[in-house]
């Protein structure tokens, strides 16, 4: 009897990173810039979820949808814009944006900064030790002199429903990579993924029905935001049903119609169903149990992104559940990489006197987000309800965006709304929310105001250019002063 013996190799690096998405790449970039050696482990494509199945392909799908919608609201362009989208061209461009799901460019960049790439499934096998099962059957054991960073991200969650596995539902991955437009698309969930994908596929020709358990869309934002987005989707022909829960899914054969059964007995039939119902950390098979942690759990970290109770393990990006957004994960990665390097180089001040510049403070008070719906939605900081729940004495200042001269020039019949939440004791802005065409570009100025705790009195002297959408700030300040 012949016995196959897998070859095993031992390696040692200053830092080992699990997960080569944008978060892991940024950790490696920072530690390499500080002169530390680094290895990065990835079981799928280098570049991760954002590059191939989330941020990049979804925005490639949505950009022409929003551009056409904007053009339809501009005098002189309506007739030329009132044509069906060239869906095949859009999908081809999407494929180009994601590099046709190949990662050569990302590999070249990592190699150019001197990072060692290990392809395969990596898991912890004890403190500072990672085992990689490579596709070719080899086994590598990596020892980290200073730190291991878990940057494995999150995955879409499918609920435990009768019939769902056999119905072959879409998750966010299939929704951003599909190459055919379903005639009827059922979207379960009213969050960011549900809203963006309903916007895109409806514009491509699908008849869209959204099934939302809660009272409205985008529940993490101010209520008026979801109301504007829902009204626009409904006006274009999408159906939105709120306050409903799914009890089962039935597919007729492998490719036939799918029926989504609701609690109470009602049902909706479509050709495809997308479940956009939340995410879970990709930590279920990382060997966390070998270092006293629970497999499949979110990882609790301090503000330097070090896992609580350890002096060598870091969890960066989605896995720590602070803010499941690529830009926040990359921000955390820059801080984590700098903190790892500082500790490796003996900077005891990090633990003796606090983390200083090595603290991810934005995760607590100023997380910006843009939803690329039509109209766009954006927010940063605290909503009115969140500020009140946190015990602040606040006032919400609201603005109908039609009062802004630039809005009427941006689009005829402009519909939008803005709100800033003001801390009345300190007279600084705690949060801001916007909904309307083109407002995604307003959120960074709001972020600067919130992060910088810029006093209202000083904001009067930050003069917005006329006539732009940024004049919303002037109108909000006027409304605040009364």
């Amino acid at each position: 009897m012949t016995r196959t013996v897998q070859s095993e190799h031992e390696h040692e690096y200053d830092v080992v990173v699990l997960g080569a998405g944008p978060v892991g790449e940024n950790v490696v970039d920072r530690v390499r810039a500080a002169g530390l050696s680094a290895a990065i482990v990835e079981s799928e494509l280098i570049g991760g979820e954002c590059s191939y199945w989330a941020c990049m392909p979804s925005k490639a799908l949505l950009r022409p949808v929003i551009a056409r919608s904007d053009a339809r609201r501009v005098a002189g362009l309506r007739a030329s814009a009132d044509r069906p989208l060239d869906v095949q061209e859009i999908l081809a461009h999407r494929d180009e944006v994601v590099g046709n799901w190949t990662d050569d460019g990302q590999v070249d960049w990592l190699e150019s900064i001197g990072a060692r790439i290990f392809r395969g499934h990596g898991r912890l096998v004890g403190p500072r030790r990672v085992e990689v099962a490579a596709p070719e059957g080899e086994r590598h054991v990596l020892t980290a002199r200073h730190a291991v960073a878990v940057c494995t991200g999150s995955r879409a969650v499918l609920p435990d429903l009768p019939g769902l596995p056999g119905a072959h539902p879409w998750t966010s991955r299939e929704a951003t990579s599909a190459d055919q437009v379903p005639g009827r698309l059922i979207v379960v969930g009213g969050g960011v993924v549900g809203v963006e994908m309903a916007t895109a596929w409806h514009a491509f020709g699908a008849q869209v029905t959204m099934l939302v358990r809660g009272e409205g869309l985008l529940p993490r934002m101010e209520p008026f935001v979801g109301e504007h987005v829902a009204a626009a989707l409904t006006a274009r022909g999408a159906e939105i049903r709120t306050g409903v829960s799914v009890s089962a899914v039935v597919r007729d054969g492998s490719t036939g119609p799918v029926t989504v059964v609701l609690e109470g007995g009602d049902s909706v039939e479509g050709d495809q169903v997308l479940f956009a119902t939340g995410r879970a950390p990709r930590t279920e098979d990382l060997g966390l149990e070998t270092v006293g942690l629970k497999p499949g759990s979110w990882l609790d970290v301090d503000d330097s992104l070090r896992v609580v109770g350890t002096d060598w393990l870091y969890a960066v990006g989605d896995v720590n559940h602070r803010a499941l957004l690529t830009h926040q994960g990359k921000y955390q990665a820059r801080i984590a990489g700098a903190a790892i390097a500082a500790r490796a180089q003996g900077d005891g001040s990090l633990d003796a006197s606090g983390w200083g510049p090595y603290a991810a403070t934005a995760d607590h008070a100023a997380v910006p987000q843009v939803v690329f719906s039509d109209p766009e939605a954006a927010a940063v900081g605290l909503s009115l309800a969140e500020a009140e729940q946190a015990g602040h004495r606040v006032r919400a200042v609201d603005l109908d965006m039609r009062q802004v001269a630039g809005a009427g020039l941006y689009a005829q019949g402009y519909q939008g709304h803005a709100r800033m939440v003001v801390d009345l004791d300190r007279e600084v802005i705690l949060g801001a929310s916007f909904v309307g065409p083109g407002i995604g570009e307003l959120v960074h100025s709001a972020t600067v105001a919130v992060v910088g705790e810029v006093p209202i009195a000083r904001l009067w002297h930050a003069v917005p250019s006329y006539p732009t959408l940024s004049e919303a700030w002037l109108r909000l300040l006027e409304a605040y002063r009364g």
Side-chain angles (χ1 to χ4, degrees), residues 184-186 209-211 239 241 250 258-262 265-270:
R184 299 165 298 171
L185 175 63
I186 303 168
T209 301
M210 299 188 73
L211 304 176
E239 181 182 359
R241 300 178 63 175
V250 180
V258 60
T259 300
V260 176
V261 182
L262 306 179
D266 197 4
S267 64
V268 181
E269 185 178 271

Side-chain angles (χ1 to χ4, degrees), residues 67-136:
R68 181 183 67 166
S69 185
D70 283 347
R72 284 173 164 173
R73 293 186 283 256
V74 176
L77 286 177
R78 288 194 189 93
S80 57
D82 196 21
R83 296 185 302 172
L85 293 167
D86 186 334
V87 177
Q88 290 308 308
E89 183 178 4
I90 293 170
L91 296 179
H93 180 248
R94 184 268 322 269
D95 294 352
E96 181 182 345
V97 166
V98 301
N100 290 295
W101 289 277
T102 61
D103 58 8
D104 296 350
Q106 304 272 21
V107 170
D108 289 346
W109 176 77
L110 278 173
E111 291 179 343
S112 76
I113 65 170
R116 173 71 187 276
I117 299 170
F118 288 88
R119 290 193 183 270
H121 180 68
R123 64 192 317 274
L124 294 164
V125 289
R128 294 186 175 85
R129 287 175 65 79
V130 171
E131 180 181 280
V132 182
E136 62 273 16

Side-chain angles (χ1 to χ4, degrees), residues 14-25:
D14 291 323
V15 180
V16 176
V17 177
L18 288 169
V23 174
E25 288 176 326

Side-chain angles (χ1 to χ4, degrees), residues 278-325:
R279 300 192 68 81
R282 296 182 65 182
T283 59
E284 64 275 9
D285 189 21
L286 289 184
L288 293 180
E289 68 280 2
T290 69
V291 294
L293 297 170
K294 182 180 178 181
S297 65
W298 302 103
L299 298 176
D300 188 23
V301 297
D302 62 28
D303 280 349
S304 69
L305 290 313
R306 189 167 58 175
V307 174
V308 173
T310 76
D311 63 0
W312 59 274
L313 184 62
Y314 292 73
V316 194
D318 284 11
V319 289
N320 61 41
H321 206 232
R322 286 189 166 208
L324 277 65
L325 296 163

Side-chain angles (χ1 to χ4, degrees), residues 202-244:
H202 180 271
F204 297 161
Q207 177 186 326
V208 170
T209 301
M210 299 188 73
L211 304 176
V212 183
R213 179 181 295 178
E215 297 179 359
L217 303 182
L218 303 174
R220 296 182 182 275
M221 291 185 163
E222 297 279 11
F224 67 80
V225 174
E227 291 167 5
H228 272 263
V229 174
L233 277 167
T234 301
R236 288 191 292 272
E239 181 182 359
I240 302 173
R241 300 178 63 175
T242 59
V244 297

Side-chain angles (χ1 to χ4, degrees), residues 442-469:
L442 286 180
V443 75
H444 190 62
S445 57
T447 303
V448 171
V450 173
V451 172
E453 299 182 334
V454 182
I456 294 289
R458 288 300 303 159
L459 282 177
W460 277 102
H461 302 286
V463 182
S465 297
Y466 179 87
T468 66
L469 293 178

Side-chain angles (χ1 to χ4, degrees), residues 5-13 116 118-119 125 129-134 136-143:
V5 179
Q6 292 183 338
S7 59
E8 178 176 318
H9 305 276
E10 295 270 352
H11 311 267
E12 189 173 69
Y13 298 90
R116 173 71 187 276
F118 288 88
R119 290 193 183 270
V125 289
R129 287 175 65 79
V130 171
E131 180 181 280
V132 182
E136 62 273 16
E138 290 186 322
R139 191 170 74 95
H140 300 274
V141 178
L142 316 181
T143 299

